[in-house]
Amino acid sequence: MDELSEALAGSFSVSQELNSTAAPHPRLAQYKTKYSSLDQAERREKLLKLQKLKRLDFVNHARRLAEDDWTGTDSEEEKDGDNGSMDEEMDVETAKKLPRRYANQLMLSEWLINVPPDLIQEWLLVVSPVGRRSLIVASQGSTAAYTKSGLCVNRFPSLLPGGNRHNSAKGKDYTILDCIYNEVARTFFILDVMCWRGHPVYDCQTDFRFYWIHSKLQEEEGLAETSRRNPFKFVDLQSFSCSSESICDVLAMNFPFEVDGLLFYHKQTHYTPGSTPLVGWLRPYMVSDILGIDVPMNPLTTKPAYAGHQLQQIIEHKKTKTKTNETAENGCYELEHLSTPKEEALGCQGTKAGRMEC
């Protein structure tokens, strides 16, 4: 029993970020956290205050991503080093400088542990399909797809602004998107937008960014279809309110994709690279336990067999790993494959089969 307790206590150090979705939900793993449930709420409040005070240079950041030009960033880091006291006082993981290159550019969620009291008024729900998280950069007549770790896994033309040589406007147009790629459907499902046609929206609120990408996609023809200039589809994901009625309606819907989980976005959060408590993540079957609402009974809300298996997997996995926060060769973070293992692989130890870490 002591050995099991020690394994449990150490197993969650695999990811150094609080409530990382790379590990099982603390409640469902029967894990008693060392920090209070208020901690997540406090960090949300601090982050909302911090983003009003700290204005980062998103215009140049978007341009660097588009042009792959990082000259001068070393001197900027030295200059910013003297201003780190406020970040330390805030004690918030995402209060960092903007990352360089293409790694760690995506805004990642945390497990939704502390249910916000303003969930109905200030949060939006997005249903996430199964797939791989991708950073999409369309610029200079080409479109590139990067993993969370910054690996370029594909380069192709697209009908996104700047995405092919016919609409690149001599390099002035470029687009940066946060997507989920579903290989079966050859589709990039658009979660969020950071820049559209050279206009960065990193420091805009979530509700505006969602409205912006939805309206802009309607202006572009052919993005939702495959063609010679657009070999992969780009499809917008709808957002919903977080009222109990709306969530129940969503869980009863039929979607044109396999559902992986639910993302909860705070309406006021800016797009911030790294994990943040202002974006929450739940599996559909967790909604009744975590949010305390009655949900319709269907395959989405039925607790799967692997829910209990995840705990045993993470214990066994921890025994064989000595390093923390590893990044695998294929661009997946350690324990990403533990998030939702495929049912046919439940009997296989350490399987790589898995789904998206949001």
Side-chain angles (χ1 to χ4, degrees):
M1 181 61 71
D2 292 339
E3 183 180 356
L4 177 61
S5 299
E6 292 176 4
L8 276 171
S11 64
F12 286 87
S13 64
V14 174
S15 173
Q16 296 176 347
E17 296 173 345
L18 292 179
N19 309 327
S20 168
T21 58
H25 194 290
R27 292 196 201 175
L28 296 181
Q30 298 178 350
Y31 169 65
K32 295 181 179 179
T33 88
K34 288 185 282 188
Y35 45 88
S36 73
S37 61
L38 292 177
D39 185 57
Q40 194 174 53
E42 290 170 355
R43 288 186 294 118
R44 288 175 190 146
E45 185 178 351
K46 288 179 179 179
L47 273 174
L48 288 173
K49 291 179 180 178
L50 179 64
Q51 70 182 16
K52 295 178 181 179
L53 300 173
K54 189 169 184 176
R55 294 293 179 179
L56 300 175
D57 189 0
F58 289 114
V59 174
N60 278 327
H61 182 66
R63 180 190 57 79
R64 287 169 181 147
L65 284 171
E67 299 176 1
D68 196 14
D69 180 7
W70 304 91
T71 55
T73 53
D74 290 333
S75 59
E76 289 177 10
E77 276 198 352
E78 292 176 3
K79 187 184 298 184
D80 290 341
D82 299 331
N83 300 325
S85 58
M86 181 177 69
D87 293 353
E88 294 176 4
E89 290 176 7
M90 296 301 291
D91 192 27
V92 176
E93 179 67 22
T94 50
K96 301 174 181 176
K97 293 180 286 291
L98 289 169
R100 293 187 298 166
R101 307 296 175 182
Y102 295 96
N104 307 314
Q105 293 288 346
L106 298 174
M107 182 166 68
L108 304 176
S109 63
E110 292 185 2
W111 283 112
L112 187 68
I113 295 176
N114 173 249
V115 181
D118 57 358
L119 182 68
I120 297 176
Q121 296 83 8
E122 294 295 332
W123 294 72
L124 294 171
L125 170 66
V126 176
V127 178
S128 168
V130 170
R132 286 283 180 182
R133 199 71 176 269
S134 298
L135 170 70
I136 296 296
V137 180
S139 67
Q140 300 178 325
S142 179
T143 305
Y146 297 89
T147 65
K148 289 179 299 227
S149 59
L151 176 68
C152 182
V153 292
N154 202 357
R155 192 174 290 276
F156 52 91
S158 76
L159 292 177
L160 292 170
N164 70 74
R165 59 188 178 89
H166 299 282
N167 68 359
S168 60
K170 297 182 179 180
K172 294 181 180 179
D173 283 353
Y174 47 87
T175 300
I176 305 172
L177 301 175
D178 179 352
C179 296
I180 299 171
Y181 176 61
N182 186 285
E183 186 174 3
V184 175
R186 291 179 61 85
T187 299
F188 287 96
F189 292 98
I190 302 172
L191 271 180
D192 214 329
V193 57
M194 297 87 102
C195 183
W196 184 268
R197 207 179 287 278
H199 299 285
V201 290
Y202 281 90
D203 55 355
C204 296
Q205 296 184 168
T206 301
D207 48 1
F208 174 78
R209 295 196 313 274
F210 285 2
Y211 161 78
W212 179 262
I213 187 60
H214 181 71
S215 61
K216 293 303 176 183
L217 288 174
Q218 291 181 332
E219 298 173 3
E220 305 292 331
E221 295 183 0
L223 274 172
E225 305 295 333
T226 56
S227 63
R228 184 172 59 86
R229 293 184 183 177
N230 197 72
F232 301 94
K233 299 177 184 178
F234 285 87
V235 177
D236 188 23
L237 289 172
Q238 186 179 355
S239 61
F240 306 89
S241 76
C242 288
S243 67
S244 299
E245 295 78 8
S246 175
I247 293 173
C248 288
D249 289 343
V250 168
L251 292 174
M253 290 181 181
N254 292 320
F255 291 92
F257 49 76
E258 185 181 357
V259 175
D260 192 14
L262 308 177
L263 285 163
F264 297 84
Y265 286 82
H266 196 289
K267 291 180 180 179
Q268 297 180 36
T269 186
H270 297 172
Y271 193 95
T272 309
S275 75
T276 172
L278 293 170
V279 184
W281 171 252
L282 287 178
R283 300 292 175 191
Y285 67 86
M286 300 176 182
V287 170
S288 59
D289 291 333
I290 305 301
L291 300 185
I293 62 177
D294 294 328
V295 297
M297 293 302 298
N298 57 40
L300 271 185
T301 58
T302 301
K303 190 172 183 179
Y306 58 71
H309 179 77
Q310 288 177 341
L311 177 60
Q312 185 61 33
Q313 249 198 321
I314 195 171
I315 294 173
E316 295 299 325
H317 184 82
K318 183 61 180 176
K319 289 179 181 178
T320 61
K321 293 289 182 180
T322 56
K323 296 181 180 180
T324 61
N325 227 18
E326 296 181 14
T327 302
E329 293 180 359
N330 63 357
C332 300
Y333 289 92
E334 185 181 19
L335 291 185
E336 178 176 340
H337 63 279
L338 296 181
S339 187
T340 306
K342 290 183 179 178
E343 294 191 24
E344 62 268 21
L346 289 179
C348 302
Q349 196 65 42
T351 176
K352 292 278 184 176
R355 301 187 183 178
M356 185 197 69
E357 177 200 351
C358 287

